[in-house]
Amino acid sequence: ETRIRNMDYGVQLNGYLMKRMIRGDDITLFSPHEVPALYDAFYADQKLFATLYELCEQDESLRRITVNGGDLLRSLTVERQQTARIYLMFVDNVSEHGAFDPAVDPIVQSNLCVEITQPSSPLSVIDPGVGEISLCTLSAINLGKFDEPWEMKPYCRLAVEALNQIIDYQEYPVLAAERSTKNRRMIGIGIIN
């Protein structure tokens, strides 16, 4: 009832929480400031997360909000179906199938569409050399302009070269975004039409 209209929401889940929601079990929400090890395990180690989560549920000293998992799942799916403004990121799938080792560089955030999954780290106001922000450097090829898929090859090569040059050419809002983008040089080319 109190949602902000026209705001996109990114929700991160894992297999453990999904199973609990499907069964209709309760989901207990904790502040990441009170359970930092649980927060870290959520991204880096799913087995450890499940163990710590259950221990945290037993610890009566921790502040919490408990919601019915079935109700939460229905709320997420209804909101997604009616507004298309909720984007789900399954952190265990991103970690298991991504390009980075979750024990070394866990993926803790992404853009809403989860097109890019790159490591990030907190920024420092005191030291602008600290932190890492991932940016989307994306393009698309209009499939409707080609009769055969192989005809796209030179245009895909051109898009790769253009995106690669944009990484060096563009201005960045903060040093952490520039450093991450130039070091990792992650690009994406999709298909439209």
Side-chain angles (χ1 to χ4, degrees), residues 95-116:
S95 294
E96 290 171 18
H97 303 291
F100 300 95
D101 180 351
V104 178
D105 281 322
I107 306 301
V108 298
Q109 62 183 13
S110 179
N111 61 335
L112 280 173
C113 301
V114 194
E115 296 164 316
I116 60 166

Side-chain angles (χ1 to χ4, degrees), residues 5-19:
R5 303 286 179 194
N6 300 319
M7 176 180 261
D8 294 317
Y9 295 91
V11 177
Q12 295 177 324
L13 297 168
N14 64 12
Y16 176 79
L17 294 176
M18 271 308 285
K19 287 175 187 170

Side-chain angles (χ1 to χ4, degrees), residues 10-131:
V11 177
Q12 295 177 324
L13 297 168
N14 64 12
Y16 176 79
L17 294 176
M18 271 308 285
K19 287 175 187 170
R20 287 180 70 141
M21 288 193 300
I22 289 168
R23 289 191 308 254
D25 296 347
D26 284 343
I27 301 293
T28 307
L29 308 173
F30 302 98
S31 167
H33 299 290
E34 290 187 23
V35 288
L38 179 65
Y39 178 82
D40 292 340
F42 180 71
Y43 298 103
D45 186 333
Q46 296 302 306
K47 288 181 182 177
L48 178 60
F49 172 80
T51 301
L52 292 176
Y53 186 86
E54 291 171 10
L55 288 172
C56 288
E57 283 187 310
Q58 295 170 13
D59 185 347
E60 294 296 327
S61 69
L62 292 173
R63 289 182 307 143
R64 70 193 65 219
I65 296 173
T66 303
V67 295
N68 178 271
D71 292 343
L72 182 58
L73 183 57
R74 276 187 292 285
S75 177
L76 285 172
T77 54
V78 165
E79 187 72 16
R80 174 71 181 164
Q81 185 267 331
Q82 290 180 353
T83 69
R85 301 195 79 88
I86 287 187
Y87 294 84
L88 300 177
M89 177 178 170
F90 294 93
V91 296
D92 46 350
N93 289 339
V94 168
S95 294
E96 290 171 18
H97 303 291
F100 300 95
D101 180 351
V104 178
D105 281 322
I107 306 301
V108 298
Q109 62 183 13
S110 179
N111 61 335
L112 280 173
C113 301
V114 194
E115 296 164 316
I116 60 166
T117 53
Q118 298 177 51
S120 57
S121 59
L123 304 179
S124 169
V125 176
I126 299 167
D127 183 359
V130 173

